[in-house]
Amino acid sequence: SWAASGAPTEGAVIATSWSTGQFVRTVAAQHPGLVPGAFIQDREDWFRLPNGELQHGRDDLGPYLGLCRERAVVNSTWVLESLAVLGAGKQIPRGAMTFIPIGTDPDLFYPDPARTPGAGRLRILAFCRHSTPRRGYEVLERAYRLLAARLPQAELATYDEQPRPGLATLHLGKIPQEELARVMRSFDILIEPSSIQGWGMAAHEAMASGLAVVSLENGGIRNFADERSAIILEPGEHLVIRSEGP
């Protein structure tokens, strides 16, 4: 049982996915000292079926949406606004949602004072996750092929998942947080190809590390960047790349 496992019986118990909604509801009913709620970290795809229809009729989604109606924490203003127009807004009152922004640790992610932007070989980094469609792997692949043709002197690198065969990059693998901070400081540009981001930690960490960011308009980027601090492209929009020098 919950109490026998040593879990607290007072405070808050939060569902972080629709699949844990019923569990959280049951535990809270058994322990009156626990306040139930839900954490929504993205524009949750499970609110819609692949054909675009809302999933509110699903029996297993009901407990989660019930928690959202009572008490929900969202990590970005864009998520909050998106839920209001996804159809969920009819079921989740705006007053039930609390916005708590994500932070990037400035003791880890900061610019390298000894590095001069634009000096030496241009180094470009991108987060790679083709197992999640919204992460924009196809966009990244096209962008890197174009960059390799237009800027052959640039070094193109990826981290997290191994790129599919045929994409020639320096792959850095899955990088622990402290190591990632050091790696980011050695690059000039981060490309963020995701089409949907609740927040967008890769871009946030890159900006804190002094990198220029080129991002698709994905919603979350607007929590901390605009056209004055990043290049933000609409899906399908092209950026003109000009190679200068020999």
Side-chain angles (χ1 to χ4, degrees), residues 64-245:
Y64 179 73
L65 285 175
L67 293 172
C68 293
R69 284 194 291 270
E70 296 170 25
R71 187 173 292 99
V73 174
V74 297
N75 67 359
S76 81
T77 54
W78 179 76
V79 168
L80 190 153
E81 296 297 330
S82 293
L83 289 176
V85 299
L86 271 177
K90 297 179 181 179
Q91 302 206 20
I92 306 176
R94 193 174 293 257
M97 292 188 278
T98 300
F99 166 50
I100 300 179
I102 295 176
T104 290
D105 186 350
D107 290 331
L108 278 180
F109 293 91
Y110 54 84
D112 182 352
R115 183 172 174 79
T116 303
R121 187 182 185 189
L122 183 66
R123 307 191 76 212
I124 302 174
L125 180 66
F127 180 87
C128 177
R129 184 171 292 171
H130 46 74
S131 62
T132 305
R134 66 181 177 85
R135 293 291 191 176
Y137 179 80
E138 287 74 17
V139 173
L140 171 61
E141 195 172 48
R142 290 197 300 271
Y144 265 24
R145 293 189 191 284
L146 177 61
L147 284 166
R150 299 285 181 87
L151 300 174
Q153 75 279 14
E155 181 176 18
L156 308 178
T158 56
Y159 70 101
D160 202 68
E161 290 183 354
Q162 177 74 42
R164 291 170 181 157
L167 187 63
T169 71
L170 170 65
H171 183 60
L172 304 174
K174 295 184 181 294
I175 309 175
Q177 193 79 346
E178 291 191 8
E179 177 67 10
L180 177 60
R182 186 192 65 78
V183 167
M184 278 194 168
R185 284 194 289 276
S186 70
F187 281 84
D188 302 292
I189 298 172
L190 178 101
I191 293 180
E192 169 52 277
S194 300
S195 59
I196 296 175
Q197 284 281 32
W199 182 267
M201 286 303 298
H204 199 225
E205 291 164 347
M207 292 182 73
S209 302
L211 280 69
V213 169
V214 179
S215 173
L216 278 190
E217 173 62 86
N218 55 37
I221 188 75
R222 295 291 180 177
N223 285 284
F224 53 86
D226 57 25
E227 285 74 12
R228 296 170 298 176
S229 54
I231 295 176
I232 302 175
L233 304 173
E234 294 293 335
E237 185 178 357
H238 295 278
L239 180 66
V240 175
I241 300 173
R242 183 177 68 243
S243 177
E244 296 184 357

